[in-house]
């Protein structure tokens, strides 16, 4: 008896098959525009309204992406597992944590108007806990996979590796705004010192990774064109750590005993000023690399979202320095960096919308023509799309 061949079962939700965790960077960048706008020295009513609208957009994007990524895991588990086994894509799981944290932090700064004080605090608390748990898991799991499962060549090192390590720093920077809402005494002190521990965890891990990134540039030359925007990711731990020490100084009085409360204020200046100086140096270096890449034909990819959130952290870091030094120069720096953030967000948003309308995004993985194929078996990455 001849058994007729069964037709292949069509895949469900085909549009989300190549929707990787890098898409959470769009949520991070959009939330940064709203939150960073709230710390500008010349804050007006229309500006606050605009920041609230952009933050609400980031919240909507987060909900939509969480749903789409759930479909991705449900119907395309093979691709999701490939993402975890790909050293170019796995670090983007840190973006999930930072997207949750960025939207939650924005609820407390610009989301109070539509949500109310209680609603904003509840949303921030939920997203802070979820984002911190996910961030700590990524900070452990991704480096573990890189050591025991991934096969990495020196030329494959990129700033993307910083993403899971920066996520706890975002928790450190945004956690202090919840401190005043806890009962006085042990609860407040515990949260503040926990955020300080997250600051140290992320800072030391970043200091281990940054030399690898710079050494790769020196030894192997510029990054591939599509990955060049990821150089801006180095600004993330620099600006976010400056923001964090400023936030510690804001809430420490009355929470920790003297002289430690004054120590946080001193740390905000003595740490923040030199780190912001290095951030500006790296910003100039990364911008020069991007200009070079554009001259050589760099087109839009999803890595352009790397221009947004890291610059946003520098905006909030400069604003923290303005508060604690009283220098008008940092007010002007805050405003100037926010202008860069707006331009970067507009470019990334327009490119993403065009790609979605045309159907080019989310896209299947592309093989980089300039990079030789490694001898060991690897998973093809779609992180640059």
């Amino acid at each position: 008896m001849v058994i007729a061949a069964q037709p292949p079962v069509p895949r469900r939700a085909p549009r989300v098959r190549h929707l990787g965790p890098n898409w959470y960077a769009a949520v991070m960048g959009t939330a940064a525009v709203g939150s960073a706008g709230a710390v500008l020295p010349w804050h007006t009513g229309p500006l606050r309204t605009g920041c609230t609208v952009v933050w609400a957009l980031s919240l909507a994007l987060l909900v939509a992406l969480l749903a789409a990524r759930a479909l991705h895991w449900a119907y395309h588990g093979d691709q999701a597992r490939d993402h975890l086994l790909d050293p170019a894509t796995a670090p983007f799981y840190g973006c999930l944590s930072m997207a949750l944290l960025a939207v939650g932090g924005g609820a407390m700064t610009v989301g109070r108007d539509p949500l109310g004080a209680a609603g904003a605090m509840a949303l921030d608390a939920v997203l802070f806990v979820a984002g911190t748990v996910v961030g700590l898991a990524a900070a452990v799991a991704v480096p573990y996979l890189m050591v025991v499962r991934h096969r990495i060549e020196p030329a494959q090192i990129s700033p993307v590796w910083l993403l899971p390590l920066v996520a706890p720093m975002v928790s450190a920077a945004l956690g202090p705004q919840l401190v005043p809402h806890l009962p006085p005494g042990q609860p407040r002190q515990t949260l503040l010192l926990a955020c300080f521990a997250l600051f140290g965890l992320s800072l030391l891990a970043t200091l281990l990774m940054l030399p690898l990134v710079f050494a790769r540039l020196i030894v192997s030359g510029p990054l591939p064109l599509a990955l060049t925007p990821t150089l801006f990711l180095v600004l993330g731990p620099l600006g976010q750590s400056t923001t964090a020490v400023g936030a510690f100084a804001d809430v420490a009085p009355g929470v920790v005993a003297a002289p430690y409360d004054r120590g946080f204020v001193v740390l905000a200046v003595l740490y923040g000023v030199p780190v912001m100086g290095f951030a500006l140096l790296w910003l100039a270096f990364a911008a020069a690399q991007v200009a070079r890449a554009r001259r050589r034909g760099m087109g839009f990819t999803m890595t352009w979202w790397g221009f947004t959130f890291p610059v946003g952290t520098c905006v909030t870091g400069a604003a923290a320095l303005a508060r604690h030094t009283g220098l008008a120069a940092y007010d002007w720096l805050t405003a100037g960096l926010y202008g860069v953030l707006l331009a970067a967000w507009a470019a990334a948003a327009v490119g993403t919308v065009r790609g979605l309308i045309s159907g080019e995004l989310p896209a299947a993985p592309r093989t980089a023509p300039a990079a030789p194929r490694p001898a060991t078996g690897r998973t093809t990455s779609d992180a640059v799309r």
Side-chain angles (χ1 to χ4, degrees):
M1 182 177 64
V2 178
I3 300 177
Q6 296 296 320
V9 178
R11 286 188 178 273
R12 300 181 67 179
R15 285 300 301 272
V16 301
R17 174 164 176 76
H18 301 295
L19 187 75
N22 56 313
W23 278 76
Y24 286 113
V27 178
M28 296 161 53
T30 304
V33 172
S35 298
V39 302
L40 290 177
W42 305 285
H43 201 62
T44 62
L47 175 61
R48 182 173 181 83
T49 300
C51 290
T52 302
V53 170
V54 174
W55 171 81
L57 174 61
S58 73
L59 176 59
L61 288 174
L62 176 63
V63 173
L65 268 177
L66 288 173
R69 286 284 296 165
L71 289 175
H72 176 83
W73 273 94
Y75 297 121
H76 305 289
D78 59 329
Q79 188 73 9
R81 287 187 292 273
D82 285 347
H83 287 164
L84 283 172
L85 297 177
D86 184 355
T89 308
F92 283 99
Y93 275 90
C95 290
L96 169 58
S97 165
M98 291 185 280
L100 294 169
L101 292 165
V103 173
M108 292 292 285
T109 54
V110 295
R112 289 172 174 265
D113 296 339
L115 298 177
M121 186 181 67
L123 179 61
D124 186 24
V126 170
L127 294 182
F128 174 77
V129 172
T132 300
V133 171
V134 171
L136 288 173
V140 174
V142 174
Y144 174 82
L145 288 173
M146 294 174 74
V147 171
V148 302
R149 295 296 300 272
H150 300 163
R151 298 295 179 264
I152 299 169
E153 301 295 331
Q156 295 172 305
I157 298 172
S158 85
V160 170
W161 290 8
L162 292 169
L163 288 172
L165 306 179
V166 177
M169 187 67 78
V170 180
S171 294
L174 296 177
Q177 64 186 1
L178 289 171
V179 169
H181 299 279
L182 294 177
Q186 289 277 330
R188 293 184 181 182
Q189 187 174 359
T190 299
L191 179 56
L192 177 58
L193 293 184
C195 291
F196 195 33
L198 291 170
F199 165 86
L201 178 159
S202 179
L203 178 64
L204 295 176
T206 299
L207 291 177
L208 290 176
M209 192 64 70
L210 277 180
L212 295 177
V213 173
F214 191 68
R216 181 255 176 264
L217 295 173
I218 296 297
V219 173
S220 301
L223 294 173
L225 296 183
L227 288 177
T228 303
T230 64
L231 288 170
F232 274 66
L233 297 179
V234 175
L235 297 174
L238 303 176
Q240 199 67 272
S241 61
T242 304
T243 303
V245 293
F248 300 155
D250 291 337
V251 301
V255 175
V256 295
Y260 303 111
D261 56 346
R262 292 298 305 166
F264 279 114
V265 176
V266 173
L267 179 65
V269 177
L270 296 187
Y271 174 89
V273 170
V275 170
M276 183 57 64
F278 179 68
L280 295 177
L281 171 65
W282 190 270
L283 175 61
F285 172 76
Q289 293 286 316
V290 169
R292 173 189 176 277
R294 286 290 285 172
R295 291 195 301 269
R296 285 161 173 75
M298 182 188 76
F300 174 77
T301 67
M302 286 298 291
T303 57
W304 280 35
W305 284 102
F307 294 137
T308 57
F309 188 78
V311 175
T313 68
C314 292
V315 174
T316 54
L321 288 174
R323 290 196 307 273
H324 293 289
T325 65
L327 292 178
Y330 284 115
D331 285 332
W332 288 104
L333 178 61
T334 301
L337 289 172
Y338 190 71
V340 174
L341 172 61
L342 286 178
W345 179 82
V350 168
T352 303
V353 170
R354 285 177 177 173
L356 289 171
I357 292 175
S358 67
E360 295 179 359
L361 295 175
R366 295 187 308 178
T367 302
R373 187 176 182 84
T376 55
R378 303 184 62 81
T379 306
T380 305
S381 169
D382 62 346
V384 300
R385 293 293 294 177

